[in-house]
Amino acid sequence: MKIWSVSRRKMEEAIANRNFDDLRELFKAEKKTVKDDEFVIVKIDGLLKKRGYRVMEVPSEQKEEFARLHFNFVMNCTKLGYCSKSTPILTLQDILEVSSIEECKHLFGLVEENMNEFKQPGFIETYQNIILRLCNDLLRRLSRTAETSFCGRIMFFLSRFLPLTEKSGVNFMGHFNTLNITTFEENEPTAESLLAATSSHHAATPSGAAAGAEEDMETGEIEEEAAKEIIVTPEMYRQFWSLQKFMSNPNLLYEKEKFVVFKKDLTAVLSLMTANKLEKFAAEDESEVAESRKKINNDVFFTKYLTSPKLLALQLNDSSFRRNFLIQTIIIFQYLNAESRFKPPAKKMVLNEEQSKFVHDYEDKCYRLLSDTMPRGTAFVAGLKRIMQRETEWNQWKNSNCPDLSEKADKGAMQMYKKRQRVPFNPNNLDLGTPELTKLWTYEPDVLKACKSDKRKFIPTLADFIRDPLDEMDPEQQVEEQYKSINEVSFQWRAARLLMHKAPGYVSKTEPKADPTTNMRDFLERTMYNTGKTIDEFKSGIEERERRDAEKRAASGEKKEAEARKKVEESLKRKLDTNTKSTTIAVSSPNPYTDPPLTDENLRQLATDLSKFSKKLAKLVGIDEESLQKTSSSEEDRCYRILKEWAERNGKSGRSLLNLLIADLDVIEVATATMKKIHETST
């Protein structure tokens, strides 16, 4: 007995110090003494568990570190065969049972970190049920509302650890949590009084009270500027929260009377949401609001909303609240239409045609409301539809009695990769890896010469390129402006590049005061036209076109000049006829019966008035104006010399001078006024 206690004490010391060498020697010595391996393993199992309880006696801040060291030591003992395979996870289970909730949150990391070890072929059979029991014990200790995040970690771990065909986590019979009851003010007078108090408070609050509103905001609220107030009646309050009993037990909706109530209440609620849509955020504000909501959701999370009548109007203005309600409704609609083998056949859980139409129409309406709910409503709806499609597939899997999905995998043996037969190198047979590359390289004996071949020149000649545009510029072709190729941006780009390289007049010296070219279309048209004059193929055609245009312009000019002269003569004739009938001597125009000669003084007076038309006057009279510029310094002197020279050649008849100047309306108007003054002076 004394030897037994000494051996036990030495084992405890080796385990406490995590000394594998000492534990190995003691394990061998114990086997020789007892001659029973199972007895020694059971003894070490008990000592390891006992040490696990001792570890939990250290201060809280050191528990995780000591527990991690002890667990790793036990795992190594298991791999060396010093203890049972179940000892590590049982030790960890004992540690979690004697730890607080806050300590379990940190210690559960050991379970998550060693998940791959637990799934090894030698451990999975032993550990699966123990880990499932460990997680269920933890979930029973936790509050689903206060410890939601930790519960989610445990459930997520189980979903990764258990095989896909494991049915322990599947709601195989399709049961609903009917114990989830939503309590609210069902007494209508009470709800009405609370809503009335809320309305009066909003009405009595002045607009200036917004300065202190920031202090009254509770944690988790989002300040919304100018939020549209939603009017909630006591009936609407009752209708909204009474829908939750159908959400927790959708089988009630297969009863005709209950479905009528559900239809009425849901129609009223969705009509209220449709009439009071949330305002869309601007592009800049949407990202800011999403970040603020994300920050708030990370700080505070509630699994159940408050049901006070005072809060419903504010809750309906919250996009998260609306989304949660609409998603609830969509899930219920999917269940009502889904085929499930676990719906009791005796109750005839099937919707009639009218009910099915209502479900289908209002499901689309819920999706539209979700799409209009900011932020990122369209993207949210797209993600939700994918999730609901996956739920439909999982429902079909459950209806098929949860078959093993691995059975559908390809069970054929994987074929070994066949190595391609190596081709011996032949310097006379060039192979660049692919037939096309080899063909390209062996196209010509001299590759550089082939690249310079005329066949490789794909740039059109200048004559071929401008042939069609020049034809389109010819008025005789009668091409409408909108159909001309010069209007296309791509053609302008190609024309600019080609003309820049080959046209001599593309880049030309311009006058310093000339306006820069802003119209690319006109510039290219002018450049192609001038370039065509330098090409023999188009030179004769362009000259012929210019000759025709000049003849047309000359004919048009002569016609206009004749019409203008005729109009002026008719005007003068009317004035002369009027003056002859008057009792006084006509002073508005030269006397048609007398034509006194123009004196030098008259010519000087005409030159003074016509000084600004010296160039036009020289052109009308037929005198070279440039020769006069060299001898005369002023415009008036040049005009006088022009009139003097004309008078010496043609006589000094004022009527002849007016007939000559009638070709230019501006000049004849000034000359007529001057002649009028001359006649007034002479009379």
Side-chain angles (χ1 to χ4, degrees):
M1 189 70 180
K2 186 176 182 180
I3 297 174
W4 171 262
S5 59
V6 171
S7 175
R8 181 185 180 88
R9 187 168 58 253
K10 287 182 179 181
M11 280 189 177
E12 288 179 349
E13 291 176 359
I15 292 172
N17 297 327
R18 295 184 291 278
N19 192 329
F20 284 106
D21 295 334
D22 293 348
L23 186 62
R24 186 186 303 112
E25 296 299 328
L26 291 170
F27 180 77
K28 292 179 180 179
E30 195 74 21
K31 284 174 63 177
K32 291 179 182 179
T33 304
V34 181
K35 297 181 180 180
D36 188 357
D37 294 351
E38 289 295 328
F39 181 79
V40 180
I41 290 174
V42 170
K43 180 180 178 181
I44 295 177
D45 287 345
L47 293 176
L48 290 172
K49 290 182 181 180
K50 183 179 180 182
R51 181 59 188 172
Y53 287 115
R54 293 283 182 86
V55 167
M56 289 296 99
E57 295 176 0
V58 299
S60 298
E61 57 273 9
Q62 299 179 358
K63 280 185 179 180
E64 183 180 359
E65 180 183 358
F66 279 89
R68 188 180 300 276
L69 293 173
H70 181 67
F71 177 77
N72 292 335
F73 177 75
V74 178
M75 281 294 294
N76 291 328
C77 289
T78 303
K79 293 176 182 178
L80 295 173
Y82 299 157
C83 62
S84 304
K85 290 183 179 180
S86 60
T87 303
I89 193 64
L90 290 174
T91 303
L92 190 56
Q93 184 180 14
D94 294 339
I95 292 174
L96 289 170
E97 285 180 353
V98 297
S99 301
S100 63
I101 297 297
E102 290 299 322
E103 292 171 347
C104 287
K105 290 181 181 179
H106 300 288
L107 294 173
F108 192 73
L110 291 172
V111 183
E112 295 172 320
E113 294 168 6
N114 292 276
M115 182 182 67
N116 292 330
E117 290 284 345
F118 300 154
K119 295 176 72 173
Q120 294 301 319
F123 295 95
I124 185 66
E125 298 83 1
T126 306
Y127 283 14
Q128 182 169 327
N129 292 332
I130 300 175
I131 289 179
L132 184 59
R133 184 166 60 251
L134 179 150
C135 293
N136 286 333
D137 291 342
L138 271 177
L139 289 172
R140 278 192 290 270
R141 291 174 59 190
L142 298 177
S143 170
R144 295 299 177 93
T145 56
E147 305 293 343
T148 308
S149 179
F150 191 23
C151 291
R153 279 179 61 192
I154 297 171
M155 299 300 293
F156 187 62
F157 168 79
L158 285 174
S159 67
R160 291 187 298 159
F161 174 72
L162 297 175
L164 194 60
T165 55
E166 174 63 33
K167 298 180 182 179
S168 60
V170 179
N171 184 9
F172 198 67
M173 300 301 296
H175 295 302
F176 291 96
N177 183 16
T178 55
L179 299 178
N180 182 17
I181 300 174
T182 302
T183 58
F184 59 97
E185 296 292 342
E186 298 189 36
N187 189 1
E188 189 168 334
T190 305
E192 188 172 356
S193 61
L194 289 172
L195 287 169
T198 306
S199 302
S200 61
H201 173 71
H202 284 304
T205 302
S207 59
E214 198 171 311
E215 300 177 359
D216 298 335
M217 289 181 64
E218 297 180 1
T219 304
E221 288 188 43
I222 298 176
E223 184 177 2
E224 298 181 2
E225 297 181 0
K228 185 179 179 181
E229 185 178 355
I230 299 177
I231 306 301
V232 178
T233 61
E235 178 64 16
M236 176 57 63
Y237 169 78
R238 183 199 62 76
Q239 288 176 326
F240 182 87
W241 289 113
S242 63
L243 288 172
Q244 292 302 311
K245 66 182 178 183
F246 300 112
M247 304 295 185
S248 61
N249 189 8
N251 289 333
L252 295 174
L253 296 175
Y254 290 107
E255 300 178 16
K256 189 174 181 180
E257 297 78 9
K258 299 289 180 62
F259 189 88
V260 172
V261 176
F262 172 78
K263 179 179 178 181
K264 177 184 175 183
D265 294 348
L266 183 63
T267 302
V269 173
L270 294 184
S271 299
L272 180 66
M273 290 185 177
T274 305
N276 297 274
K277 291 184 178 180
L278 300 182
E279 297 182 359
K280 294 185 177 181
F281 302 110
E284 304 91 24
D285 299 338
E286 186 171 339
S287 59
E288 297 178 4
V289 172
E291 286 296 326
S292 63
R293 289 184 183 276
K294 183 178 179 181
K295 182 178 179 181
I296 291 170
N297 291 337
N298 289 339
D299 295 338
V300 181
F301 176 74
F302 297 101
T303 56
K304 207 170 182 66
Y305 284 100
L306 301 177
T307 59
S308 172
K310 298 180 180 181
L311 299 176
L312 185 56
L314 300 174
Q315 289 169 333
L316 290 174
N317 264 324
D318 181 23
S319 60
S320 299
F321 183 84
R322 284 200 182 194
R323 279 180 173 174
N324 290 337
F325 174 77
L326 292 171
I327 291 172
Q328 267 189 321
T329 308
I330 290 172
I331 292 172
I332 296 303
F333 285 157
Q334 188 186 52
Y335 172 77
L336 293 176
N337 282 325
E339 295 181 3
S340 176
R341 59 181 292 188
F342 304 108
K343 292 181 180 179
K347 294 186 178 181
K348 296 182 181 179
M349 291 186 172
V350 180
L351 298 178
N352 57 34
E353 184 177 352
E354 181 183 355
Q355 292 172 338
S356 298
K357 185 177 184 304
F358 169 80
V359 169
H360 180 269
D361 294 343
Y362 272 71
E363 185 178 11
D364 293 341
K365 188 172 185 178
C366 289
Y367 277 121
R368 287 197 300 271
L369 285 171
L370 279 173
S371 180
D372 294 337
T373 303
M374 294 295 109
R376 302 183 64 196
T378 305
F380 184 85
V381 168
L384 178 61
K385 286 184 177 180
R386 286 195 293 270
I387 292 173
M388 299 309 293
Q389 177 60 32
R390 289 187 62 186
E391 288 299 313
T392 303
E393 294 171 359
W394 282 117
N395 183 56
Q396 294 173 355
W397 177 71
K398 286 173 63 177
N399 288 339
S400 303
N401 201 19
C402 305
D404 188 358
L405 298 178
S406 60
E407 294 179 357
K408 297 182 180 180
D410 188 4
K411 297 181 180 180
M414 183 179 294
Q415 296 182 357
M416 295 299 295
Y417 175 73
K418 294 182 180 179
K419 292 185 178 180
R420 186 172 55 184
Q421 185 179 2
R422 297 185 64 179
V423 180
F425 176 71
N426 183 3
N428 298 324
N429 185 13
L430 184 63
D431 185 8
L432 297 180
T434 62
E436 292 300 324
L437 190 58
T438 304
K439 179 182 177 182
L440 179 64
W441 193 258
T442 57
Y443 185 74
E444 288 283 346
D446 189 350
V447 180
L448 184 60
K449 184 179 178 180
C451 292
K452 295 180 180 179
S453 174
D454 293 338
K455 296 180 180 179
R456 303 287 302 169
K457 295 180 181 179
F458 303 108
I459 301 176
T461 62
L462 191 59
D464 292 338
F465 188 81
I466 66 175
R467 182 177 289 107
D468 291 342
L470 287 177
D471 290 340
E472 293 171 357
M473 293 180 201
D474 191 355
E476 292 187 355
Q477 299 296 331
Q478 297 182 355
V479 179
E480 296 182 15
E481 194 68 27
Q482 58 181 340
Y483 298 115
K484 290 184 177 181
S485 56
I486 194 66
N487 294 324
E488 297 180 9
V489 178
S490 60
F491 180 84
Q492 293 179 9
W493 183 83
R494 295 195 303 273
R497 287 182 62 85
L498 187 63
L499 293 172
M500 182 174 59
H501 287 285
K502 297 189 175 183
Y506 186 84
V507 180
S508 59
K509 185 178 180 181
T510 58
E511 296 294 332
K513 297 183 180 180
D515 295 333
T517 301
T518 57
N519 193 329
M520 193 65 180
R521 178 187 179 282
D522 296 342
F523 171 74
L524 292 174
E525 245 185 358
R526 185 169 60 253
T527 304
M528 285 190 289
Y529 188 80
N530 294 333
T531 303
K533 294 179 181 180
T534 63
I535 301 175
D536 295 337
E537 181 183 349
F538 310 115
K539 188 174 181 180
S540 58
I542 292 176
E543 290 176 353
E544 178 66 21
R545 188 188 308 172
E546 289 181 344
R547 187 184 61 76
R548 291 198 308 268
D549 293 344
E551 291 177 356
K552 288 181 180 179
R553 285 195 299 270
S556 177
E558 291 176 358
K559 185 177 180 181
K560 290 181 180 179
E561 185 178 347
E563 291 177 355
R565 184 182 290 108
K566 184 177 180 181
K567 288 181 181 179
V568 173
E569 288 178 353
E570 291 176 355
S571 176
L572 292 174
K573 186 176 180 181
R574 284 196 299 271
K575 289 181 180 179
L576 291 173
D577 292 343
T578 303
N579 291 335
T580 54
K581 294 179 181 179
S582 62
T583 56
T584 60
I585 298 173
V587 294
S588 61
S589 62
N591 195 326
Y593 301 104
T594 60
D595 186 18
L598 296 172
T599 63
D600 291 342
E601 184 181 353
N602 298 145
L603 293 175
R604 177 67 66 180
Q605 188 174 358
L606 279 169
T608 302
D609 294 340
L610 296 174
S611 59
K612 59 182 179 180
F613 302 113
S614 61
K615 292 183 179 180
K616 292 183 178 181
L617 185 62
K619 186 176 180 181
L620 292 171
V621 174
I623 297 175
D624 187 9
E625 200 262 343
E626 293 182 358
S627 62
L628 295 174
Q629 287 182 354
K630 299 177 181 178
T631 58
S632 302
S633 59
S634 64
E635 298 283 344
E636 185 177 345
D637 290 342
R638 284 197 290 273
C639 286
Y640 177 73
R641 292 193 61 183
I642 292 170
L643 294 172
K644 184 73 174 173
E645 187 175 346
W646 176 85
E648 290 175 355
R649 289 198 315 240
N650 302 285
K652 299 183 179 181
S653 172
R655 179 174 295 179
S656 299
L657 180 61
L658 290 176
N659 290 337
L660 179 65
L661 301 179
I662 200 170
D664 193 302
L665 294 179
D666 294 334
V667 177
I668 189 63
E669 185 178 356
V670 176
T672 304
T674 304
M675 293 295 292
K676 177 182 176 183
K677 293 178 183 178
I678 292 172
H679 281 285
E680 287 177 353
T681 304
S682 62
T683 55

